[in-house]
Amino acid sequence: ESLHSSIGLLGISAGSLLLAVHFYSLPRAAPLIPNTALGVLLLILSSLLAYAGIRRSLRNACLFLSLCLTISVFWCGYGVVFILGGQGVLNDTGDFRNALVPGLVTFTLALLIIAVVGFLCREVILAMIASAVSLASAHEVAMRYSTAFGSSAVACNYMIVCLVGGYFALGRILYFLTKEKIALPGTDLAKKKTREQIQSTSGSMNHFAVTGLILNMLSASVFGCRLLGVTGKLFIGQVPWLWAAGIYQIGICILSYRAMDALMATFFGFTSILKFAGGYCLLYPIWQPFFSPFLVVFSILFLVLALFLTLKSPVDGLYLLFYVAYCIALACRPKGFFEGGPQGVDVAIFVASALMTLIHLYNVKASAKIPTGRGAVKALLARSSFLKLREGANLHAPYLGYSKYADADVLGYACSVLASFAITMTGDPQAPLATVVIPWVVVAGGILKLLGGSVAFARGKTLESSAFILYAVMWIIWGLTRYGGLYGTTRSFHAAVGIIAFMLFNGFIVFCTLFLNIAWFFYSLTFLLIAVSFLLDAIHALPAGYDIAATLIFGLVSFYCFLSALFNSVFEGSCLPMGRPIVQLSGVGGGKTKCLHLPARKASSVKRIADILKNGGTCGIPTDTVYVLVAACNRPDAVEKAHHSKRQAQDRPMSLWISSLKQLEPAKHLFTPLLWDFMKAAWPSPISLVIPRGEWVDFLGMKDSAKYVGTPQSIAVRIPDCSVTTHLIDLVGPIVVTSANPTGEADTTHHNQVYAKLGDKVDAVLCDGPSPENIASTVVDCTKIDSGNIGFFRVGIIPKSQVLQILEQVQKK
C-alpha cells in the first residue's frame, strides 16, 4: 500500500533537491547542473510522479493524486523550457522569463489551493510539500523580475520539501524495521487508507477533475499573462506549457472515463484540442479568419455539453459557458489567440478554473461540502414525466459484460463534427503551415477519435471501435498530407490507391452497420462521401463545392449521433433514438429489452442470477469449461423452458450439477462405496459422471423436473471447478444444466455468443468474458463401476488416462 506513496513523495523530494542545488549555484558563472541536464532529469521525475499518482489513485487518495499530477505537469513544462534554454532557443533578453512566468504563476496558485485544502483536511505532509513548492514558484517569479531578489529563497523552499521528504522516508523505514510498532505522525498510511475507504463509500467522484481544472488554468495563464502585461510576448518558449497541458489533458480524459465520468471526460477532450491549437499558433503565428464556422460549431458543442452537465452539477455547467464565450471570441477576432478579446476570456477562465479547483478538491476531501446545486436539477426533473434521469449502480455498465470505462461515443461523434467542419476550407499548398487546421483535424479527428475507438473496444463495441479507429487513421493521414506539406501541388496515383483502400474498408463497415442501427448506417455511409471527395481531389476531378457539401452532410449526421448519445447516456428511454437495425438477424438482439447481462465478478450479480433462477427463470452462466444454460431443479417450469429453448435432442439429455457432495450426503446409503469414493476423488473438476438413476434423485427435490434430466436409466452429475458456479448453486440448490447453444451447434465460449444464440430465450446472462477452456467436460459412464469397468460417452478436457488413474487410486484404497 505504501509503495506508490513512497515513490511519489521521494520523487518530489529528489526533484526539489535538484532544483535547490540549481538555484544555490545560479549566481555562479556556470551553474552546477547545466540547463539541458536539469530539464531531462525533471522530465524523468515528472513521468515517475505521474505513474505514482495514477497508481495511488486506485486507492482513492485524491489529495496525493492531485499533488503528484500537478507537480508532474509543472516539471514536465518546466523541464522542456530548461532544455530549450540550454539548446540556445531562448536567446533574446527576457525570453527565459517570458517562457517560465506563465507556468510559475499557475502552479503558485494551484499548489497553494492544494496546500490550503491539505491543512484543512489534516494532510500535513502533503500540505507542507505543496505550500513549499508554491512559495518556491512565487519567489522564482519575483527573482525573474528583480535582480535584487536572490535565488537563495527559491532554494530554501525546495530544501524544505527535501526535509519533509526525508522525514517521511525516516518514518517509513522505522515503520518497517520495528514491524509496525513505531509510526511517526503523518507517515502511517494504514490509518489514511482506512479513512479514505470510509470516505469512498459515500459515492463515486472523479478525482482527476481537479488536475484537469489546473491544466485549464495553465493554458489560460499563457495568454492571460500577455494581456495583463506580465509577459512581453507570445512565442515558442511558452509552447511547452500549452502542449504539456494538452498531453496531460488527454490523459485526464482517459482517466475520467475510467472514473465513469463521461461528461467531464468529453469536456477535457474538448479543452485539449484548444491547448494543442494554441501551442500550434505560437509555433506558426498566423491565424486565418476563415475558420469562424468551425469555432462556432465548437461553441455549440460546448453549449450542448454545458446543458447536460448542468443536470449533474449546475456549477460545472456554468463553468463550461466560459468556453462557449472563448470559442465565440476566437471566431470573432481575425488574429484569434493573439488578440485581446480571447485573452480577456482566458483571464476569466483562469479565475473560474481556480475557484472550481478549490470547490472540487475541498468537496472530495472534506465532510462539509461547498454547495454546487448538485441535487437541485435532479429534484426539478423528478416532477417531469417526459424526462427521467438515468441512475443506479449500473449506469455506465455496457449492455454486454462489464467495463472499467464509461462510454466514449459522445466524444467520438463530437470529434467527427469538428474534423468535418475543419476541412470545409482548403489550405494553400504553397504555404501549407500557414493555417491552424492541423490541430483541429489531426487532434480532434485523429488522436481523440483513436481514444474514443480504444474505449469503445474496451466496452465490447467491436464494430463501433473499428469504425472510429479507421476514421481516425484517415483523418490523421489526410490532415497531415493535405495541410502538412506532404501532399504538395502535384497529385499521384499512389494517393488514389490508398484512398480506395480506405473506401473498401469503410464499405465493409457500412455493410456491417446494416445489422447495428439506422444512425450508424448513415454515419458510415456519409463518411464514404468524404472519402469520395478525397479520391476525386487526388485525381484532379473534384467538382466545385462537392467536398464542402460532403463534409457538411457528414457533420450534421455526426451532430445528430452526438446528441443521441448524450440523451441516451443521461436520460432513460430514447428521446433521440439511434434506430433499429435495417436487417434483423434471427436471435441477434431479440432479448435486448429483457435479457439482463450481469458481470460475474460482482457477488451482487450472482445473487441476482440466483433470485432469477429461484423465481423460475433460465440463465446463461460461465463455468470451468464453456458457457451453459441452467435452471433450478426445484422449478419444473424453468427446466421445461430450458429444455424447449435448447431444442434438446433425446440423445443429448440435460445433466445435474451440485456444489458439494454434502448435498447428496442424506442419500449416501443409496450409492455403492466405490462409486461414492470415485465421486469424492473426481470432483470438483470438468468430469461429468453418469450414474444409475435411483431414489437418491428424490433427496434433491427435483419432483416433476426429473423427467427432463438424464435418461430413464441414468443421470450425468458434476461438481464444477468454478467458484462462481458453485457459489450460485449454494444459493439456489442443485441446478439442471445444458450447453448454451442450440443442439448440433458449436459450444459457446463467450457471453456474447450466449446472447447471439439464445438472447431472446433466456432471462439473464452472467458475463465473464471468454471461457477458460474451449473444450467441454469429459463424460464418464459409471453405471457399471462396481464391476470395475467405466466407459466414456465423451472425452473432453480431461483425458481418459487421467480418469482411469483416479479410478485406480480409489480401487487401491
Side-chain angles (χ1 to χ4, degrees):
E1 288 298 323
S2 66
L3 175 64
H4 299 114
S5 294
S6 303
I7 289 174
L9 292 178
L10 296 179
I12 294 172
S13 303
S16 299
L17 183 61
L18 285 173
L19 290 169
V21 171
H22 170 75
F23 283 105
Y24 269 127
S25 64
L26 200 58
R28 298 170 52 184
L32 198 60
I33 306 176
N35 283 348
T36 304
L38 179 62
V40 171
L41 289 171
L42 286 176
L43 284 176
I44 294 170
L45 286 170
S46 74
S47 61
L48 188 67
L49 289 178
Y51 165 78
I54 292 169
R55 293 291 298 174
R56 188 74 178 100
S57 72
L58 303 178
R59 305 287 188 270
N60 197 43
C62 177
L63 199 67
F64 177 82
L65 160 71
S66 301
L67 178 65
C68 278
L69 289 185
T70 302
I71 295 181
S72 177
V73 181
F74 180 23
W75 285 352
C76 179
Y78 202 47
V80 176
V81 172
F82 271 109
I83 291 171
L84 292 178
Q87 296 301 309
V89 177
L90 310 176
N91 281 330
D92 295 343
T93 306
D95 272 5
F96 210 63
R97 181 186 70 193
N98 288 331
L100 283 176
V101 166
L104 292 172
V105 168
T106 300
F107 291 107
T108 297
L109 182 56
L111 289 166
L112 182 62
I113 292 171
I114 293 174
V116 169
V117 175
F119 281 122
L120 290 174
C121 299
R122 300 178 182 178
E123 296 276 2
V124 179
I125 286 184
L126 299 181
M128 288 183 66
I129 290 174
S131 56
V133 179
S134 175
L135 285 172
S137 303
H139 283 138
E140 187 176 353
V141 172
M143 183 195 78
R144 298 292 174 188
Y145 279 96
S146 173
T147 53
F149 196 95
S151 60
S152 299
V154 184
C156 285
N157 285 304
Y158 281 121
M159 282 306 299
I160 292 173
V161 178
C162 296
L163 292 174
V164 174
Y167 170 81
F168 177 81
L170 177 63
R172 296 310 299 166
I173 291 169
L174 284 174
Y175 187 76
F176 284 112
L177 290 180
T178 61
K179 296 182 179 179
E180 305 180 6
K181 292 178 181 177
I182 298 177
L184 296 180
T187 62
D188 188 358
L189 298 174
K191 291 181 180 178
K192 291 183 182 179
K193 177 191 171 188
T194 305
R195 187 164 63 249
E196 286 162 358
Q197 284 180 341
I198 292 170
Q199 289 178 352
S200 68
T201 57
S202 61
S204 59
M205 296 187 73
N206 183 3
H207 298 156
F208 302 99
V210 173
T211 309
L213 294 167
I214 291 172
L215 295 173
N216 290 342
M217 289 173 61
L218 178 57
S219 57
S221 173
V222 171
F223 298 106
C225 285
R226 177 68 190 92
L227 177 71
L228 299 175
V230 178
T231 55
K233 61 179 179 178
L234 294 171
F235 71 120
I236 190 174
Q238 292 145 355
V239 173
W241 297 119
L242 290 168
W243 281 8
I247 292 168
Y248 274 79
Q249 197 76 293
I250 289 178
I252 295 299
C253 175
I254 297 170
L255 292 169
S256 294
Y257 281 119
R258 182 72 181 253
M260 298 298 171
D261 192 353
L263 294 179
M264 286 301 284
T266 307
F267 166 63
F268 290 139
F270 284 177
T271 54
S272 70
I273 300 171
L274 291 172
K275 291 172 175 59
F276 282 111
Y280 185 82
C281 283
L282 298 191
L283 284 177
Y284 300 97
I286 300 173
W287 177 274
Q288 296 186 359
F290 50 67
F291 286 105
S292 299
F294 166 83
L295 288 162
V296 170
V297 170
F298 207 177
S299 67
I300 292 171
L301 292 179
F302 267 118
L303 181 60
V304 172
L305 191 62
L307 292 174
F308 279 91
L309 198 57
T310 303
L311 302 175
K312 177 184 173 185
S313 171
V315 171
D316 290 337
L318 290 172
Y319 172 63
L320 259 67
L321 294 180
F322 285 96
Y323 280 91
V324 176
Y326 190 48
C327 291
I328 293 173
L330 286 173
C332 294
R333 306 307 299 173
K335 293 184 180 179
F337 293 105
F338 298 93
E339 296 221 18
Q343 290 173 3
V345 182
D346 270 311
V347 174
I349 288 175
F350 181 87
V351 176
S353 299
L355 289 173
M356 292 299 296
T357 300
L358 177 62
I359 291 171
H360 273 262
L361 190 58
Y362 185 79
N363 283 353
V364 168
K365 288 299 296 179
S367 55
K369 309 293 184 186
I370 299 173
T372 59
R374 186 174 288 270
V377 178
K378 181 180 174 182
L380 192 65
L381 284 174
R383 304 174 185 174
S384 170
S385 58
F386 178 66
L387 294 176
K388 188 177 179 182
L389 287 174
R390 291 184 62 190
E391 295 179 298
N394 297 323
L395 176 62
H396 297 287
Y399 184 64
L400 294 177
Y402 78 100
S403 176
K404 295 179 180 178
Y405 297 87
D407 203 337
D409 285 2
V410 173
L411 182 62
Y413 297 132
C415 289
S416 294
V417 177
L418 294 172
S420 61
F421 279 96
I423 66 166
T424 52
M425 185 63 69
T426 56
D428 180 6
Q430 301 301 329
L433 294 176
T435 174
V436 296
V437 81
I438 286 181
W440 306 133
V441 173
V442 174
V443 177
I447 296 172
L448 289 178
K449 207 155 180 76
L450 278 175
L451 187 158
S454 302
V455 173
F457 185 80
R459 289 178 60 82
K461 294 184 173 182
T462 311
L463 177 58
E464 293 95 321
S465 67
S466 302
F468 280 152
I469 291 170
L470 175 70
Y471 297 168
V473 172
M474 188 68 179
W475 286 123
I476 290 173
I477 294 174
W478 187 252
L480 290 176
T481 53
R482 190 171 186 180
Y483 298 104
L486 306 177
Y487 203 70
T489 54
T490 60
R491 305 292 190 263
S492 69
F493 174 72
H494 305 87
V497 170
I499 294 165
I500 289 171
F502 272 107
M503 290 174 66
L504 290 174
F505 276 118
N506 192 58
F508 173 71
I509 288 174
V510 171
F511 172 75
C512 292
T513 55
L514 290 170
F515 310 99
L516 189 60
N517 56 55
I518 296 172
W520 256 98
F521 173 73
F522 282 107
Y523 178 70
S524 57
L525 187 64
T526 48
F527 188 82
L528 201 59
L529 298 178
I530 291 183
V532 169
S533 74
F534 293 166
L535 177 63
L536 294 175
D537 181 56
I539 60 175
H540 290 284
L542 183 64
Y546 174 83
D547 55 343
I548 295 178
T551 51
L552 284 174
I553 293 171
F554 178 68
L556 291 173
V557 172
S558 300
F559 186 69
Y560 175 83
C561 293
F562 167 75
L563 288 176
S564 178
L566 262 179
F567 265 100
N568 294 332
S569 65
V570 174
F571 297 110
E572 290 184 0
S574 53
C575 305
L576 288 175
M578 296 288 280
R580 295 181 61 82
I582 297 174
V583 179
Q584 180 75 46
L585 289 179
S586 175
V588 177
K592 203 159 190 175
T593 56
K594 65 175 184 177
C595 181
L596 290 172
H597 287 74
L598 304 169
R601 299 188 181 192
K602 291 185 177 181
S604 58
S605 299
V606 180
K607 185 178 182 300
R608 197 167 175 188
I609 292 286
D611 291 339
I612 292 171
L613 292 175
K614 288 176 183 177
N615 291 326
T618 59
C619 301
I621 65 168
T623 68
D624 49 347
T625 53
V626 295
Y627 278 78
V628 294
L629 178 65
V630 303
C633 272
N634 56 5
R635 292 300 301 251
D637 53 338
V639 177
E640 184 179 3
K641 179 183 173 184
H643 186 273
H644 291 309
S645 65
K646 256 282 302 233
R647 302 194 299 272
Q648 194 76 21
Q650 294 302 316
D651 58 339
R652 298 289 297 275
M654 301 172 79
S655 58
L656 175 69
W657 283 13
I658 56 178
S659 59
S660 168
L661 271 179
K662 289 181 181 178
Q663 291 174 312
L664 291 176
E665 195 79 39
K668 182 178 179 180
H669 62 282
L670 298 174
F671 296 92
T672 62
L674 179 59
L675 177 57
W676 184 267
D677 290 342
F678 185 55
M679 289 191 295
K680 192 174 181 180
W683 293 332
S685 70
I687 301 175
S688 296
L689 302 182
V690 178
I691 59 180
R693 182 187 286 269
E695 295 178 9
W696 60 268
V697 174
D698 299 331
F699 285 85
L700 299 176
M702 293 182 67
K703 301 178 183 176
D704 295 338
S705 305
K707 62 183 178 182
Y708 297 107
V709 183
T711 67
Q713 295 79 32
S714 60
I715 296 178
V717 187
R718 177 154 91 92
I719 299 177
D721 191 12
C722 175
S723 57
V724 171
T725 313
T726 52
H727 178 52
L728 179 65
I729 299 171
D730 285 336
L731 295 174
V732 178
I735 57 175
V736 173
V737 177
T738 182
S739 57
N741 54 273
T743 304
E745 294 189 12
D747 289 320
T748 306
T749 57
H750 197 282
H751 58 253
N752 288 359
Q753 295 175 7
V754 181
Y755 168 68
K757 294 177 179 180
L758 302 171
D760 54 349
K761 297 175 181 176
V762 294
D763 297 292
V765 177
L766 193 61
C767 305
D768 196 31
S771 299
E773 302 292 344
N774 294 330
I775 307 172
S777 63
T778 297
V779 183
V780 182
D781 181 7
C782 297
T783 54
K784 299 178 181 178
I785 191 171
D786 292 323
S787 62
N789 297 320
I790 59 171
F792 291 86
F793 288 112
R794 178 179 68 198
V795 178
I797 188 171
I798 304 297
K800 277 186 181 181
S801 57
Q802 189 173 336
V803 178
L804 293 172
Q805 186 178 1
I806 294 171
L807 177 62
E808 185 179 347
Q809 291 173 351
V810 171
Q811 286 173 331
K812 285 180 180 178
K813 288 181 182 179

